[in-house]
């Protein structure tokens, strides 16, 4: 069966950037690719690349698992699991480091950005993290990997590593393709539309968190930075703030730019922002309700156990086969 793989780190506050760029896309893809199996995971090993409090991490893992499901994922063709519960991810991460060059890792812009933000004690895992990510994907022979725009470079590296190994050892891995949504792949900060909306931004006004209260959601949109012109028109170059609000709206409603521009031909930013507040609130409140129901239910643990069981088996087989191909360990007789 063909597979689709993706993960999200359990760090910071999950916001509509992550939601529209990734989770909402998973939900749509689950319908479109109903004959594929989805391996979606909480990338807790990746969260260890920067300092994080242990208690906080535990809490975030559970919250993210509940949020994934609350956003509407179907259980039929899904294995939802926690990355660290499957040792094959760490094993694969190491093996792929053996096929990744320093020069490639040095070029990763996410590493450069994150390293720059830290003054001391940059963990070596922050540097090698793209190899771990490549392992997450290649373990399950992913056909597609749905991600936001910022992960494109890591996907390109994953493809290069897979091709490098295939060239040397034969067809070991499927070479995965990224799936980047047309709208929503890069939702920008509400306070600085030239920067990506990020869950680690210190300015809480820069984003709408999925669990924000209704009045906060409306307030954040109202105070979002826009230009001083009042014409509701999509223009990324000259009106980046307003265009970002268009993107948020379109990613939720699937309207066209023209439909929106026509609807506001005689209206200004105030109306546009108020309506967007309403649209975002209507999208998020049902998610919040389902999230609260799921968080302390036995159902969540059951789903994570089932996901783990299936993923564990596939991943362990892949590691065994890779060890054999690479000549690691002893020669064993094939079972059966
Ligand atoms: P940080 O900003 O702290 O590095 P993040 O907000 O990028 O973290 P991740 O867990 O790294 O969060 O991202 C999860 C998924 O959401 C990835 O596929 C990523 O591309 C996507 N994503 C994150 N932020 C945005 C955004 N502003 N717009 C669209 N997609 C996003
Ligand atoms: N690195 C990604 C999260 C991530 C991921 C993956 C995404 C870890 N492993 C595998 C897709 C496939 C991030 O920081 N957004």
């Amino acid at each position: 069966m063909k597979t689709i793989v993706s993960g999200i780190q359990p760090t910071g506050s999950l916001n509509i950037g992550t939601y529209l760029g990734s989770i909402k896309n998973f939900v749509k893809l689950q319908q479109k690719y109903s004959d594929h199996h989805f391996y979606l995971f909480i990338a807790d090993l990746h969260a260890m690349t920067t300092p994080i409090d242990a208690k906080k991490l535990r809490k975030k893992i559970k919250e993210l698992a509940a949020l994934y499901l609350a956003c509407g994922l179907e259980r039929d063709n899904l294995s939802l699991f926690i990355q660290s519960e499957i040792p094959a991810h760490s094993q694969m991460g190491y093996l792929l480091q053996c096929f990744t060059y320093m020069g490639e890792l040095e070029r990763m812009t996410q590493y450069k950005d994150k390293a720059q933000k830290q003054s001391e004690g940059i963990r070596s895992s922050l540097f090698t993290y793209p190899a771990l990510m490549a392992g997450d994907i290649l373990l399950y022979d992913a056909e597609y990997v749905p991600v936001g725009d910022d992960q494109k470079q890591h996907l390109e590296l994953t493809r290069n590593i897979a091709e490098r190994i295939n060239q040397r050892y034969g067809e070991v891995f499927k070479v995965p393709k990224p799936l980047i949504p047309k709208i929503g792949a890069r939702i920008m900060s509400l306070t600085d539309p030239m920067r990506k909306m990020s869950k680690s931004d210190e300015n809480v006004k820069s984003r709408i968190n999925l669990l924000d209260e209704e009045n906060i959601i409306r307030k954040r949109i109202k105070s979002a930075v826009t230009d001083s012109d009042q014409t509701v028109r999509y223009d990324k170059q000259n009106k980046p703030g307003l265009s970002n609000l268009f993107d948020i709206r379109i990613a939720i409603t699937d309207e066209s730019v023209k439909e929106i521009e026509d609807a506001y031909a005689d209206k200004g930013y105030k109306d546009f922002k108020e309506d967007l507040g309403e649209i975002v609130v209507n999208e998020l409140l049902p998610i919040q309700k389902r999230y609260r129901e799921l968080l302390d239910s036995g159902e969540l643990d059951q789903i994570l156990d089932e996901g783990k069981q299936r993923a564990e088996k596939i991943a362990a087989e892949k590691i065994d086969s890779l060890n054999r191909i690479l000549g690691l360990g002893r020669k064993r007789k094939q079972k059966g």
Side-chain angles (χ1 to χ4, degrees), residues 118-150:
Q118 290 177 54
S119 49
E120 55 184 23
I122 296 166
R123 297 184 176 182
S124 57
S125 57
L126 185 66
F127 185 65
T128 56
Y129 141 122
L132 182 63
M133 175 163 165
D136 299 335
I137 297 166
L138 300 183
L139 264 180
Y140 303 97
D141 282 313
E143 187 80 20
Y144 298 116
V145 183
V147 281
D149 194 56
D150 60 333

Side-chain angles (χ1 to χ4, degrees), residues 8-9 17-18 21 114 147-148 150 184-185 187 196-200:
I8 298 183
Q9 296 191 36
T18 333
K114 289 200 173 178
V147 281
D150 60 333
I187 299 296
K196 181 186 94 141
M197 184 182 285
S198 158
K199 53 186 180 176
S200 49

